[in-house]
């Protein structure tokens, strides 16, 4: 009998799967169980997130899109001519199209995403719609060191577009390190165009993560479905319930999966025990104030030059310029 499991076989050839398994078991071993939110986005998870963005309760995506629709020309003016646009977590590049529509002689566009298939498909669609723009998709995790592809035209400045309030998934410290690295990547004259969800009435925020159709709950528990499928684990998905709450002191949503009873789960020969009511924290979603954003920018070697917001001040898009290097 051949006993080599498919998972072990795959893991040898697939470094992404190796990292996934290591991250999952590390997160579940600690006294406080956590799972990294970046793993929400398999095909089913991406589809569920698309559904979330259309929910009545989930305001961020439509608010950010409205800001982009209204202010893309002004943003493009800030980016200037011959700009190289780099995007973190590009997905379907829907918001980016609004920018590309207004850029003057861009040096190129580098969409970065971990989902290779999705990236290729949307890059191909973009290439068809923007034949004049040099589009070089990069399949990578933008939190890791990046090697940018070579472009045929020289750029006047590099701008990283980081929309969607994905910055909210990072702790203050992680956000700071990521923006610092990004400032270095862009270099002098460069900038970050950052989309961030703002602090507001906690009831509005909490509703956005507890929709009455239960789509967010399915999005949350799909992480366990994915772990079962890709890592051969045996989570009883029905025995974990969705919980999301806003911590107004810190200014963030915490999303958890709560064990409904005492149970155990096996992953890769290791057993993980759950008490009744014990939680796995699956996501932080930090909400910002304008002052918090300015401070974060400042500490990262950036300075806030311009902010675009909707009327209700629910969401902001920030032009953060790389600060001139001070000679020492
Ligand atoms: C894609 C990270 C911006 O934090 O609002 C939506 C993900 N989680 N509902 C967010 C999410 C639950 C979303 N981001």
């Amino acid at each position: 009998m051949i006993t080599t499991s498919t998972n072990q076989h795959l893991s040898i050839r697939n470094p992404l799967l190796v990292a996934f398994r290591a991250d999952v078991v590390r997160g579940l071993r600690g006294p406080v169980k956590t799972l990294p939110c970046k793993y929400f986005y398999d095909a089913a998870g991406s589809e569920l997130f698309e559904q979330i963005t259309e929910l009545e309760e989930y305001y961020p995506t439509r608010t950010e899109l409205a800001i982009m629709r209204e202010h893309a020309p002004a943003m493009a003016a800030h980016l200037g001519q011959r700009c190289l646009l780099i995007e973190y977590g590009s997905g379907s590049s829907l918001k980016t199209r609004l920018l590309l529509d207004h850029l003057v002689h861009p040096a190129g566009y580098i969409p970065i995403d971990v989902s290779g298939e999705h990236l290729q498909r949307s890059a191909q669609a973009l290439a068809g719609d923007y034949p004049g723009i040099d589009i070089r998709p990069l399949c990578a995790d933008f939190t890791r060191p990046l090697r940018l592809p070579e472009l045929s035209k020289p750029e006047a400045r590099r701008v990283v577009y980081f929309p969607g309030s994905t910055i909210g998934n990072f702790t203050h410290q992680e956000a700071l390190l990521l923006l610092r690295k990004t400032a270095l990547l862009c270099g002098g004259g460069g900038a970050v165009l950052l989309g961030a969800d703002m602090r507001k009435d906690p009831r509005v925020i909490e509703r956005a993560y507890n929709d009455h159709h239960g789509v967010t709950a399915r999005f949350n528990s799909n992480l366990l479905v994915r772990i079962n499928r890709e890592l051969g684990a045996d989570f009883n998905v029905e025995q974990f319930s969705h919980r999301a709450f806003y911590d107004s002191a810190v200014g963030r949503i915490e999303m958890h999966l709560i064990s409904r009873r005492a149970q155990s789960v096996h992953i890769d020969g290791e057993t993980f025990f759950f008490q009744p009511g014990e939680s796995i924290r699956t996501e932080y979603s930090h909400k910002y104030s304008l002052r918090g954003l300015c401070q974060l920018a400042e500490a990262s070697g950036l300075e806030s030059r311009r902010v675009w917001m909707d009327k209700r001040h629910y969401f902001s898009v920030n032009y953060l310029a790389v600060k001139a290097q001070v000679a020492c």
Side-chain angles (χ1 to χ4, degrees):
M1 198 171 101
I2 300 168
T3 53
T4 314
S5 86
T6 314
N7 292 306
Q8 275 166 14
H9 177 66
L10 273 177
S11 70
I12 294 164
R13 300 177 357 184
N14 188 343
L16 289 175
L17 204 56
V18 174
F20 183 29
R21 175 179 295 127
D23 287 345
V24 166
V25 298
R26 194 186 317 117
L28 295 179
R29 269 178 200 150
V32 175
K33 294 183 170 71
T34 62
L35 288 170
C37 62
K38 66 178 172 184
Y39 295 114
F40 277 136
Y41 305 93
D42 64 349
S46 302
E47 170 56 35
L48 284 163
F49 180 66
E50 288 290 312
Q51 287 179 34
I52 288 174
T53 65
E54 280 155 28
L55 294 167
E56 188 267 316
E57 295 97 330
Y58 194 77
Y59 61 85
T61 310
R62 80 175 61 87
T63 310
E64 184 177 24
L65 259 173
I67 297 169
M68 296 306 294
R69 283 208 185 92
E70 188 173 345
H71 298 292
M75 293 177 193
H78 273 73
L79 268 50
Q81 295 193 17
R82 293 184 293 111
C83 154
L84 167 59
L85 190 65
I86 302 161
E87 182 170 357
Y88 284 179
S90 51
S92 54
S93 303
L94 184 64
K95 294 169 209 128
T96 325
R97 285 172 176 264
L98 298 168
L99 277 179
L100 295 179
D101 285 340
H102 294 96
L103 287 183
V104 181
H105 307 306
Y109 170 50
I110 305 178
I112 305 177
D113 207 289
V114 274
S115 166
E117 243 174 78
H118 197 179
L119 182 68
Q120 284 306 330
R121 234 180 304 124
S122 49
Q124 242 150 43
L126 277 175
D129 295 340
Y130 299 90
I133 304 184
D134 190 1
I135 300 172
R136 305 285 177 102
L138 175 61
C139 182
D141 178 344
F142 62 76
T143 62
R144 318 202 54 129
L146 295 169
R147 258 192 47 209
L148 297 184
E150 297 271 329
L151 285 121
S152 48
K153 292 180 216 157
E155 72 257 15
R157 73 162 53 74
R158 289 179 175 184
V159 177
V160 166
Y161 182 37
F162 191 18
S165 199
T166 306
I167 191 74
N169 286 157
F170 297 86
T171 63
H172 185 71
Q173 192 58 30
E174 291 165 346
L176 200 118
L177 291 174
L178 177 62
L179 290 182
R180 257 190 208 158
K181 270 196 345 193
T182 306
L184 283 174
L185 178 76
C186 292
V192 180
L193 188 62
L194 178 73
D197 196 16
M198 305 302 282
R199 294 190 181 183
K200 60 184 70 63
D201 184 341
R203 287 168 300 183
V204 173
I205 301 179
E206 248 168 29
R207 248 165 43 92
Y209 295 83
N210 289 286
D211 66 279
H212 71 282
H213 288 295
V215 184
T216 309
R218 284 202 291 285
F219 173 73
N220 198 3
S221 51
N222 177 63
L223 187 50
L224 303 184
V225 177
R226 179 180 188 183
I227 292 169
N228 281 349
R229 187 184 60 246
E230 293 188 20
L231 304 181
D234 59 355
F235 272 107
N236 187 340
V237 179
E238 267 63 60
Q239 291 302 328
F240 287 86
S241 42
H242 168 76
R243 175 149 190 257
F245 62 89
Y246 185 63
D247 179 342
S248 43
V250 188
R252 71 180 170 211
I253 280 283
E254 289 193 19
M255 219 159 68
H256 295 256
L257 287 163
I258 310 289
S259 176
R260 292 176 188 267
R261 53 166 163 86
Q263 53 185 326
S264 56
V265 174
H266 307 92
I267 307 172
D268 209 21
E270 197 168 331
T271 307
F272 300 93
F273 297 97
F274 293 83
Q275 307 287 339
E278 188 175 349
S279 95
I280 310 172
R281 193 187 65 231
T282 52
E283 188 179 46
Y284 282 144
S285 190
H286 290 80
K287 309 305 170 188
Y288 280 93
S289 63
L290 282 180
R291 183 199 290 198
L293 280 167
C294 280
Q295 285 170 348
L296 174 64
E298 242 353 91
S300 312
L302 299 161
E303 68 186 346
S304 181
R305 289 267 175 85
R306 184 73 210 263
V307 187
W308 295 275
M309 288 202 273
D310 56 299
K311 278 203 199 72
R312 297 186 295 187
H313 291 192
Y314 274 15
F315 201 96
S316 67
V317 180
N318 305 266
Y319 188 84
L320 311 174
V322 176
K323 276 193 277 194
Q325 295 292 314
V326 184
C328 46

